[in-house]
Amino acid sequence: MEAMSTVGSERVAAVVPDVLAAIHEVLERHRVTEEEWYAALAYLTEVGRADEFILLSDVTRTSVLIDAMSHGASEATASDVEGPLYRDDPPWREKPCKIYGSYEGMGDGDVLMVRGNVTAAGGGPLADAVVDVWQTGPDGGYDLWDPRQPAFNFRGRMRVDEDGAYEFETMLPKPYTVPTEGPVGRYLEAMGQHPWRPAHIHFKVTAPGYKPLVTQVFFPDDPYLENDTIGAVKPALVRPVTPEDDHLRCEFDVALAPA
Ligand SMILES: [Fe+2]
């Protein structure tokens, strides 16, 4: 119950009875048997043991719902689901910021330069902003899943310039599947839901005095833009990729709302 202590007891008292009423209504409507109920409890236990509750929240589109309710329309850049793949204390990347190291299996992926400006929503540049990014490599895997990759590959934090500008070198990510070997994979299979996500780069942008922004950037022409398994694509977050010299270029400006 420790996690519950981070939520006020008044909210628990207000929300939990409605949760139970909804669950009881469904159990009655479907005449769920004792055997089925214990199977459901065993399944949720397994999800917890596998540390897949955030993933379950994502693939059931619950994370998207919470995100939409938490960050309504504003002048700030659109937010998006954080997902389960953020790692605390990513390395600071110094200019020129490059967020990856070579590894066997990176193949002939495309080098991608990402740049943009961090500003206050409807205001000027935020010189104290920090841009924190994480993504999969060009063959579709996160460092956590891929023992070939150096630690914290395709991750990093960087400080913006005095004019709020940032730029980093990465490789164009590819679509990937969420983990399918655990209990959430069995859920997807049972529901006939594919496990694919469109390629994306996760962003967490912070600045003193402003609400942190967690979001994702997507790329045009991705086969999963319209049917992301976690339903997290927002048109405003699909950013063009253009060829430039020997690499690709993507621009992503970020506007933060005041705290
Ligand atoms: Fe991701």
Side-chain angles (χ1 to χ4, degrees), residues 82-85 134-136 142 145 176 197-198 200-202 216:
E82 176 167 327
L85 275 312
W134 67 104
Q135 63 167 84
T136 56
Y142 279 98
W145 307 337
Y176 68 87
R197 294 219 58 211
H200 56 274
I201 302 176
H202 295 270
Q216 302 182 27

Side-chain angles (χ1 to χ4, degrees), residues 29-184:
R29 178 150 44 94
H30 291 276
R31 309 303 307 169
V32 169
T33 66
E34 220 170 17
E35 191 184 0
E36 289 168 338
W37 178 240
Y38 282 108
L41 296 181
Y43 177 77
L44 292 175
T45 302
E46 209 183 322
V47 170
R49 288 209 174 111
D51 196 12
E52 288 195 342
F53 261 113
I54 294 176
L55 184 60
L56 186 62
S57 164
D58 288 354
V59 300
T60 54
R61 314 282 172 97
T62 313
S63 302
V64 165
L65 171 66
I66 295 287
D67 172 62
M69 291 192 298
S70 306
H71 308 276
S74 81
E75 281 184 279
T77 299
S79 63
D80 210 334
V81 172
E82 176 167 327
L85 275 312
Y86 183 73
R87 290 179 75 178
D88 288 329
D89 297 320
W92 288 98
R93 306 293 190 184
E94 304 300 334
K95 278 172 67 171
C97 301
K98 184 178 174 186
I99 65 164
Y100 67 99
S102 302
Y103 63 100
E104 193 197 331
M106 67 196 285
D108 53 356
D110 294 309
V111 173
L112 175 68
M113 301 298 294
V114 182
R115 76 173 166 215
N117 293 289
V118 182
T119 60
L126 295 176
D128 296 336
V130 170
V131 176
D132 189 348
V133 296
W134 67 104
Q135 63 167 84
T136 56
D139 58 352
Y142 279 98
D143 58 342
L144 290 169
W145 307 337
D146 184 356
R148 300 168 304 178
Q149 294 193 42
F152 288 97
N153 215 30
F154 295 108
R155 298 174 186 271
R157 280 183 280 189
M158 63 209 93
R159 294 184 171 85
V160 301
D161 294 340
E162 280 156 35
D163 57 357
Y166 74 88
E167 181 173 44
F168 63 92
E169 178 187 336
T170 184
M171 299 187 88
L172 187 68
K174 300 262 172 64
Y176 68 87
T177 67
V178 298
T180 53
E181 67 281 5
V184 168

